[in-house]
Amino acid sequence: TDGPFPGSDTNEVTFFAEQVSHHPPVSAFYAEHPARKISFHGHIWTKSSFLGLSIGVACIGTGRVILHELGEEYVVTFPSGYGRSIMSTPWVELGGKVRVSCEKTGYYADIDFLVKPFFGGKPHRISGNLFKEGAKKPFLTLRGEWNNVLYAKRTDGPEYVLVDVRAVGGARKQCVPVMKQGDRESRKLWRHVTVGLLRNKISQATAAKRQIE
């Protein structure tokens, strides 16, 4: 009863999303963690392209992370997504440059999501530099894997573990049962399309999608 959504708790993350435009397909979203006094809102739409045996998806839009206790707002851009090996065993990675900036503090970060080299190398790597506005050299550098361990190093100090994502663990997503959802909520609205895809009945899924549109 203390959280922003019926049944949620102040120590949980609540997430809302809605497609606010069909052409182009723009999604808007909001998330918050009441106990930590952190919220996040933004919008995103995508441009897709075929890249031989891969599919590239450019993510256009921005997000805003708000630290309410500090009165700080950080504007975040998004990396691109890539579906690799689509003719064999597909896998997904992120790539491209991301900027995180705060007008109030003047701090900003340039982060590179590094795609896996064609021969050798690891996927999911990032490297980044953190700057104070007006400075030419970063005061902190980042490296590691965004889904594993991230390391940080100040200009005058040793490298240390910034965050171990694996150690944080995950939380099971909780969602209102489909039949208790409103008619325009995603899982209920798209349920017949989902069933068609799960049963590999593409014509059934396509017909259901046309009815929605």
Side-chain angles (χ1 to χ4, degrees), residues 18-199:
E18 183 172 353
Q19 185 173 340
V20 295
S21 172
H22 192 60
H23 293 292
V26 180
S27 293
F29 43 89
Y30 174 81
E32 69 174 36
H33 190 300
R36 297 292 180 90
K37 295 181 173 56
I38 297 175
S39 67
F40 178 75
H41 68 273
H43 69 280
I44 192 170
W45 64 286
T46 60
K47 285 184 177 181
S48 303
S49 58
F50 285 97
L51 307 169
L53 297 178
S54 299
I55 297 175
V57 180
C59 298
I60 303 165
T62 58
R64 294 176 182 267
V65 181
I66 303 175
L67 309 181
H68 293 271
E69 284 190 322
L70 300 176
E72 296 175 3
E73 180 173 292
Y74 291 82
V75 180
V76 184
T77 60
F78 303 115
S80 297
Y82 297 92
R84 305 296 193 190
S85 306
I86 59 176
M87 299 302 291
S88 55
T89 304
W91 60 283
V92 176
E93 69 173 337
L94 302 175
K97 297 182 182 296
V98 167
R99 168 65 66 94
V100 183
S101 59
C102 177
E103 183 178 1
K104 177 181 177 180
T105 63
Y107 289 111
Y108 66 95
D110 289 324
I111 301 173
D112 283 321
F113 284 77
L114 307 171
V115 298
K116 184 180 181 299
F118 193 75
F119 294 105
K122 288 184 176 182
H124 313 310
R125 295 178 302 121
I126 70 166
S127 67
N129 295 296
L130 279 69
F131 298 88
K132 176 70 174 177
E133 188 177 22
K136 294 182 179 180
K137 293 184 178 181
F139 65 87
L140 187 78
T141 58
L142 301 173
R143 73 169 186 89
E145 299 165 39
W146 62 264
N147 61 351
N148 196 344
V149 181
L150 289 174
Y151 300 91
K153 184 181 185 306
R154 293 186 178 274
T155 52
D156 57 352
E159 187 174 68
Y160 59 93
V161 175
L162 179 66
V163 61
D164 184 348
V165 178
R166 299 169 306 176
V168 175
R172 187 176 180 83
K173 179 168 58 178
Q174 301 178 48
C175 188
V176 175
V178 171
M179 298 317 295
K180 290 185 178 181
Q181 292 183 7
D183 290 339
R184 303 297 296 180
E185 291 190 59
S186 294
R187 293 192 179 197
K188 187 172 184 179
L189 181 65
W190 293 90
R191 67 190 187 279
H192 297 303
V193 177
T194 302
V195 170
L197 294 174
L198 288 173
R199 295 176 178 175

